[in-house]
Amino acid sequence: EVQLVQSGAEVKQPGESLQISCKVSGYNFFRYWIGWVRQMPGKGLEWMGIIYPGDSDTRYSPSFQGQVTISADKSISTAYLQWSSLRASDTAMYYCARDPGWGDGFDYWGQGTLVSVSS
Amino acid sequence: QSALTQPASVSGSPGQSITISCTGTSSDVGGYNYVSWYQQHPGKAPKLMIYKVTDRPSGVSDRFSGSKSGNTASLTISGLQAEDEADYYCLSYTVSGTVIFGGGTKLTVL
């Protein structure tokens, strides 16, 4: 059974760093793209970026380039989304999702990680 | 990179059919047959309903269908049911190697 299990909710202050995770099971982590999607409170879905763990090919939305870092650890089948300095505007639900092949859409999704940033 | 354009809301009565449009450019929707559609109920993760414009994942009702003409893709739901009430998002891969969502459409079943 394919599963994407995300790390738990986070409450942070502006300026702090953060890394959230997405641990996958049930398939070969190396062979599928993993993307990250932001959903701000009451708003729509925004594609942030994507990584192919097999060769670490990583692509970012222009809106998020330089604002976050996407990475993957093949040894533990886990993808990460990282911030070096959070802002209040980063408050959102973040989802990871699997793309079985470039262009195939995102067929499995994590449960989401709620990040709250407030002073 | 602006979001793909979707109507903010659509509505229909049970048993009717509705269509949600998703308009982009020749660099995304019109450039590839890589459009997918997602259903999201409140408080839940999105669910893939259509991929590669017309393909349906296993387990998705055949009441859901997709199409594309030029720079506009469409999702049609036939035989509307109360459980179809949700937010729907289109997504397209782009010629520049990125991905973009539509702004989302709220479907109300009257």
Side-chain angles (χ1 to χ4, degrees), chain B residues 42-94:
Chain B
K44 300 293 187 182
K47 175 185 177 183
L48 178 65
M49 306 302 285
I50 296 287
Y51 66 101
K52 288 185 175 177
V53 178
T54 60
D55 293 347
R56 226 175 10 255
S58 174
V60 172
S61 171
D62 60 4
R63 297 186 298 105
F64 291 83
S65 62
S67 63
K68 191 185 84 166
S69 177
N71 296 337
T72 298
S74 298
L75 172 71
T76 297
I77 309 173
S78 60
L80 266 180
Q81 300 179 359
E83 67 209 47
D84 299 331
E85 185 163 294
D87 294 326
Y88 291 85
Y89 296 89
C90 61
L91 176 151
S92 177
Y93 293 71
T94 77

Side-chain angles (χ1 to χ4, degrees), chain B residues 1-49:
Chain B
Q1 191 176 26
S2 299
L4 305 174
T5 301
Q6 297 181 232
S9 64
V10 298
S11 63
S13 299
Q16 288 187 330
S17 295
I18 63 96
T19 296
I20 299 172
S21 61
C22 170
T23 300
T25 69
S26 58
S27 295
D28 38 65
V29 174
Y32 292 130
N33 285 329
Y34 290 161
V35 175
S36 48
W37 289 91
Y38 301 83
Q39 176 192 67
Q40 187 181 36
H41 287 111
K44 300 293 187 182
K47 175 185 177 183
L48 178 65
M49 306 302 285

Side-chain angles (χ1 to χ4, degrees), chain A residues 73-112:
Chain A
D73 186 336
K74 291 181 284 189
S75 69
I76 55 173
S77 300
T78 300
Y80 299 97
L81 178 64
Q82 180 181 336
W83 294 261
S84 59
S85 181
L86 286 162
R87 307 171 184 176
S89 57
D90 292 317
T91 294
M93 180 71 80
Y94 293 88
Y95 294 100
C96 63
R98 185 187 85 160
D99 181 347
W102 186 259
D104 285 348
F106 293 93
D107 60 351
Y108 286 90
W109 292 68
Q111 82 278 17

